[in-house]
Amino acid sequence: MVLDGKTALITGAARGIGRAIALRFASEGAAVGLIDLKSTDELARSLEAQGLEGFALELDITDPERVRETFDEVARQRGVIDILVNNAGIIARGTILELGHETWRRVLEVNLNGTFNCCKAAIPHMVRQKSGRILNISSIAGKMGDITAAPAYGTSKGAINTFTRSLARQLAEHGITVNGIAPHAIETDMSAEWSEEKRREVIGGIPLKRMGRPEDVAEAALFLVSEAASFITGEVLNVNGGALMD
Ligand SMILES: NC(=O)c1ccc[n+]([C@@H]2O[C@H](COP(=O)([O-])OP(=O)(O)OC[C@H]3O[C@@H](n4cnc5c(N)ncnc54)[C@H](O)[C@@H]3O)[C@@H](O)[C@H]2O)c1
């Protein structure tokens, strides 16, 4: 199996894309730390029932101290942190005229600073190990600006893309790769709030003419953290049905 014996931490694992990534990694032999604000106990139990390995970590990624303590404890118990997937994120809707300072700060706090907090906590362990895989879940909005969200969201994701490339440069000498995925229009709770008209409009802009599935992102994630991708770093891979080709 592709991730046999690996320890992977995945943020936002309670549902949607994070959950699909957790299930996929576990099915390839990884022990998966299921990080979320919400309880992931049920997911951990369901993995266990399938003979797979997952452990629930209830954690707010915007709390740097708790993130560090949790990651140190995982490294102490398991010896390593092989993989970190920064997937947890929030969205806000509306235009710049509607966007308030509090929403702006909150979106950047979770999406960007939360990613920073988790990287800061995982990287010392990866440097010590001289190996690691970091994968940041960005968005098409980070490359082309917001389509369906308030401008704080795309801004946070654009910053994540730059952060991904900066880390990729700095961590290469330590045997750590840092990549991203830029999804678009994936069927999750985050996109469920779209009106029928909005969905039709979004699908109309996708050459493959369908919404994406969380599993579509999980397959790309598996590749990018696997040994097969050992010569890829600093890449932010489109998983978008062709909506953006760059
Ligand atoms: N769904 C899409 O169409 C789409 C498109 C592009 C990018 N993305 C990105 O993919 C990622 C996952 O999206 P999704 O659609 O599965 O979202 P989702 O809202 O279904 O799930 C996000 C998860 O993150 C958790 N979370 C939020 N804040 C947290 C915090 N402070 N600490 C810990 N956990 C927290 C939530 O509890 C939730 O379980 C996000 O980063 C999102 O921006 C999604």
Side-chain angles (χ1 to χ4, degrees):
M1 286 191 291
V2 173
L3 301 182
D4 229 357
K6 302 286 186 196
T7 297
L9 295 180
I10 301 169
T11 70
R15 67 184 200 185
I17 293 170
R19 185 184 171 97
I21 293 173
L23 288 165
R24 191 68 187 95
F25 284 15
S27 76
E28 287 293 336
V32 185
L34 309 162
I35 297 171
D36 208 290
L37 280 176
K38 302 184 184 62
S39 169
T40 52
D41 289 343
E42 169 271 324
L43 178 56
R45 276 196 298 274
S46 114
L47 288 175
E48 197 185 337
Q50 298 170 60
L52 306 174
E53 206 177 344
F55 49 101
L57 296 169
E58 217 167 305
L59 178 66
D60 182 345
I61 60 162
T62 66
D63 182 341
E65 268 309 295
R66 277 226 48 225
V67 170
R68 192 182 51 75
E69 284 164 16
T70 305
F71 282 37
D72 286 353
E73 184 56 25
V74 170
R76 199 183 62 73
Q77 284 189 14
R78 307 202 54 89
V80 284
I81 297 174
D82 297 295
I83 298 163
L84 167 65
V85 181
N86 289 301
N87 164 79
I90 59 171
I91 198 162
R93 305 287 178 194
T95 68
I96 184 67
L97 295 173
E98 294 154 341
L99 178 62
H101 290 81
E102 186 44 44
T103 305
W104 168 266
R105 275 195 290 269
R106 183 70 196 150
V107 171
L108 289 169
E109 181 63 12
V110 175
N111 297 3
L112 181 59
N113 296 346
T115 296
F116 171 74
N117 294 338
C118 293
C119 286
K120 275 294 281 181
I123 287 167
H125 299 290
M126 292 179 171
V127 167
R128 181 173 43 77
Q129 295 155 205
K130 299 187 175 58
S131 69
R133 291 274 192 270
I134 297 173
L135 181 64
N136 297 324
I137 306 301
S138 175
S139 167
I140 193 172
K143 292 189 175 189
M144 60 185 291
D146 282 297
I147 306 163
T148 63
Y153 180 76
T155 302
S156 73
K157 298 297 189 177
I160 285 173
N161 295 349
T162 304
F163 185 56
T164 298
R165 296 188 185 106
S166 302
L167 289 192
R169 289 181 191 282
Q170 292 194 356
L171 296 175
E173 65 178 288
H174 300 286
I176 302 166
T177 68
V178 189
N179 291 294
I181 292 178
H184 174 53
I186 310 297
E187 294 276 16
T188 68
D189 290 278
M190 194 179 266
S191 52
E193 61 198 56
W194 293 346
S195 67
E196 259 317 302
E197 192 191 345
K198 181 85 223 168
R199 280 173 75 87
R200 270 198 301 277
E201 187 188 319
V202 170
I203 292 170
I206 299 176
L208 289 176
K209 293 288 172 254
R210 68 165 174 88
M211 293 284 288
R213 295 176 290 259
E215 293 73 20
D216 293 321
V217 183
E219 290 300 331
L222 177 63
F223 168 65
L224 286 172
V225 304
S226 74
E227 199 45 40
S230 62
F231 200 51
I232 300 175
T233 197
E235 173 65 19
V236 181
L237 183 69
N238 293 326
V239 178
N240 64 21
L244 172 70
M245 303 181 188
D246 66 350

